[in-house]
Amino acid sequence: GAMAEGEGLVSVDYEVSGRVQGVFFRKYTQGEAKRLGLVGWVQNTSHGTVQGQIQGPPARVRELQEWLRKVGSPQSRISQAEFSNEKKITALEHKDFQILK
């Protein structure tokens, strides 16, 4: 809608540490991102973290960042959420929010 156009779009990378694998963290992250209307991706890393990218209106991206920092999936225990490479983008680079293997 007009609101999103006015404030533009941002892209930010994230990595979440803690007990975040094997606890449906990716599935819940995807669900939360879709609820907020965001696009991007999420995947498990080989070193036990979950990482990905979020794109969308800044206010919505902030909401998912807070969720990644404090909430996560019911069984998860988040010790740290790091965000990097934040930048303004003119168009979304993903069609939806995907779980990558």
Side-chain angles (χ1 to χ4, degrees):
M3 190 188 83
E5 285 155 32
E7 60 177 338
L9 299 165
V10 296
S11 173
V12 65
D13 297 342
Y14 63 88
E15 183 165 13
V16 185
S17 317
R19 192 167 72 140
V20 293
Q21 290 193 6
V23 291
F24 301 104
F25 197 91
R26 291 172 302 168
K27 189 172 159 60
Y28 276 87
T29 300
Q30 180 187 50
E32 191 67 12
K34 288 190 164 172
R35 189 181 70 77
L36 291 166
L38 299 170
V39 302
W41 53 273
V42 60
Q43 70 179 14
N44 284 340
T45 70
S46 58
H47 52 273
T49 65
V50 167
Q51 68 177 19
Q53 187 174 68
I54 315 164
Q55 296 186 345
R60 296 288 175 88
V61 169
R62 296 278 167 271
E63 278 191 67
L64 189 58
Q65 285 179 299
E66 278 300 287
W67 185 90
L68 286 166
R69 199 180 271 128
K70 299 188 171 132
V71 185
S73 67
Q75 306 282 305
S76 67
R77 274 206 306 277
I78 298 162
S79 60
Q80 193 178 4
E82 292 183 75
F83 302 99
S84 58
N85 301 326
E86 185 164 331
K87 58 182 189 282
K88 285 190 158 68
I89 53 173
T90 51
L92 299 173
E93 295 160 350
H94 310 282
K95 284 193 185 64
D96 52 19
F97 197 94
Q98 292 187 301
I99 295 173
L100 303 182
K101 293 291 176 273

